[in-house]
Amino acid sequence: MLTNVVCLAVDGLAPFELGVVCESFGLDRTDDGVPLLDFAVVTPRPGPMRTSIPGFSIAVEDGLDRMESADLVVVPAVPRGATTEPVVLEALRAAYQRGARMLSVCSGAFALGEAGLLDGRECTTHWRYTDELAARFPDAQVVPEVLFVDTGQVVTSAGTAAGIDACLHIWRQEHGAAIAGLIARRMVVPPQREGGQAQFISRAVPECTGETLGPLLTWVLENLAVDHSVEQLARRAVMSPRTFARRFRDETGTTPHAWVTAHRVRAAEELLERTDLSVDRIAAEVGFVNAATLRLHFGRARGVSPQQYRRAFTLAPDPQQVAG
């Protein structure tokens, strides 16, 4: 379980992306029931450091040796034109080789690429830099325009907001949906966007009346148990199915089926954590046809079965009879 996080700082780093990491992992939120992590910002030479903003410097106290105890090493946005120092690359490789998880935000992926940690794996970065990332590291499998890519030990994310998504994704994996939701609420951001969503959302001129699908999406979240086929949702939105599907992707960056399924899985997570309801009952509560369908989608999204997830993150007494 995640307890120790280190954020790498190099000369010329982007302060906003550094702030994303510090906000996500470094704040004390124990008053809300969030576990306190052992968090530090590290650099090759502790002391004053320039950022990418002229006239704005920071002071970092810890050196790279602090990375040796980290469960998670985060690399925020770094200058793409500069070569990462060999001592930094060596530290990144050493952390990876001993099993630490690695997370990059935006152009931080270039440092992971220089360390050889993207070779043979899917990865991403800000959409403006995906072609450059692919050209510099031809052995990496660059996935353009997604929010983040999780390949297990290495997670790469796109620009600033996608970095928040990736950080919350890791919180959810390590400490459960309830804790990730508490952090998202404090940060005033959505609790989860799936990594495969588009980095940017098109804003085409609406082809029908109504400014946004927001009210419909709110209704869907409040009524997950009912049928949410494209046809049913389009009828409720007073659109043709084709227009609705196009409008939905424009506003959310994904398809209606993927969006509804992701929110059903998220609702199932919370029920698994907070209640002792059977998996069959939870499937019905969140709108899956049956427990088998819930297990299928839950396993695809989280990599574990509902029963395994419940054992790891339950906040209620362990149920004696649960159809796992």
Side-chain angles (χ1 to χ4, degrees):
M1 185 171 288
L2 183 67
T3 61
N4 193 315
V5 179
V6 159
C7 178
L8 175 67
V10 298
D11 196 51
L13 87 169
F16 200 99
E17 281 73 10
L18 173 66
V20 164
V21 178
C22 294
E23 173 80 10
S24 299
F25 297 113
L27 290 187
D28 184 346
R29 296 187 175 95
T30 51
D31 57 335
D32 281 339
V34 177
L36 179 63
L37 303 180
D38 189 356
F39 177 83
V41 178
V42 305
T43 188
R45 289 171 296 281
M49 175 181 299
R50 295 181 305 111
T51 74
S52 60
I53 308 299
F56 179 18
S57 298
I58 62 173
V60 179
E61 299 177 358
D62 289 302
L64 295 179
D65 56 332
R66 173 65 177 75
M67 197 183 293
E68 297 172 2
S69 60
D71 304 317
L72 172 68
V73 175
V74 189
V75 185
V78 299
R80 301 185 336 281
T83 301
T84 305
E85 295 183 60
V87 65
V88 173
L89 299 179
E90 183 179 338
L92 290 173
R93 295 187 193 103
Y96 175 83
Q97 289 166 2
R98 65 171 177 76
R101 203 169 188 190
M102 318 298 287
L103 166 64
S104 67
V105 178
C106 194
S107 59
F110 286 83
L112 296 186
E114 287 184 80
L117 303 184
L118 301 183
D119 292 353
R121 72 172 73 243
E122 292 188 344
C123 58
T124 196
T125 186
H126 191 287
W127 60 269
R128 294 183 64 184
Y129 311 139
T130 50
D131 288 346
E132 181 182 349
L133 188 69
R136 286 187 58 183
F137 308 108
D139 291 333
Q141 301 170 20
V142 179
V143 183
E145 300 179 0
V146 298
L147 295 178
F148 61 85
V149 176
D150 181 356
T151 61
Q153 195 178 347
V154 177
V155 181
T156 52
S157 66
T160 304
I164 297 175
D165 293 321
C167 291
L168 290 174
H169 170 73
I170 289 176
W171 268 108
R172 173 171 281 99
Q173 288 183 324
E174 297 286 344
H175 291 279
I179 294 298
L182 287 170
I183 297 169
R185 193 171 300 117
R186 282 281 293 266
M187 296 174 71
V188 197
V189 297
Q192 181 180 0
R193 293 189 297 171
E194 292 298 310
Q197 287 184 218
Q199 288 186 32
F200 53 88
I201 299 171
S202 61
R203 295 295 180 186
V205 176
E207 298 181 25
C208 56
T209 59
E211 296 181 357
T212 175
L213 294 177
L216 175 65
L217 300 184
T218 298
W219 178 84
V220 170
L221 293 178
E222 294 172 349
N223 297 274
L224 284 173
V226 304
D227 178 26
H228 291 312
S229 65
V230 171
E231 290 74 17
Q232 291 287 349
L233 292 174
R235 186 175 301 116
R236 191 173 186 89
V238 195
M239 303 179 192
S240 71
R242 178 177 296 180
T243 297
F244 175 79
R246 183 170 60 250
R247 179 74 174 276
F248 196 97
R249 182 175 284 279
D250 286 345
E251 292 203 15
T252 68
T254 189
T255 65
H257 179 266
W259 190 90
V260 171
T261 298
H263 282 280
R264 283 174 169 160
V265 169
R266 186 185 311 162
E269 285 179 325
E270 295 180 0
L271 290 174
L272 288 165
E273 292 180 23
R274 296 180 179 277
T275 75
D276 60 359
L277 295 174
S278 70
V279 174
D280 293 273
R281 175 68 182 277
I282 290 174
E285 289 284 333
V286 303
F288 286 116
V289 175
N290 49 42
T293 305
L294 168 59
R295 293 189 190 98
L296 173 66
H297 289 291
F298 200 96
R300 285 177 177 173
R302 302 293 178 257
V304 296
S305 70
Q307 179 74 318
Q308 290 171 320
Y309 184 90
R310 170 171 264 160
R311 284 196 295 266
F313 298 118
T314 185
L315 301 178
D318 190 36
Q320 296 300 309
Q321 294 183 343
V322 177

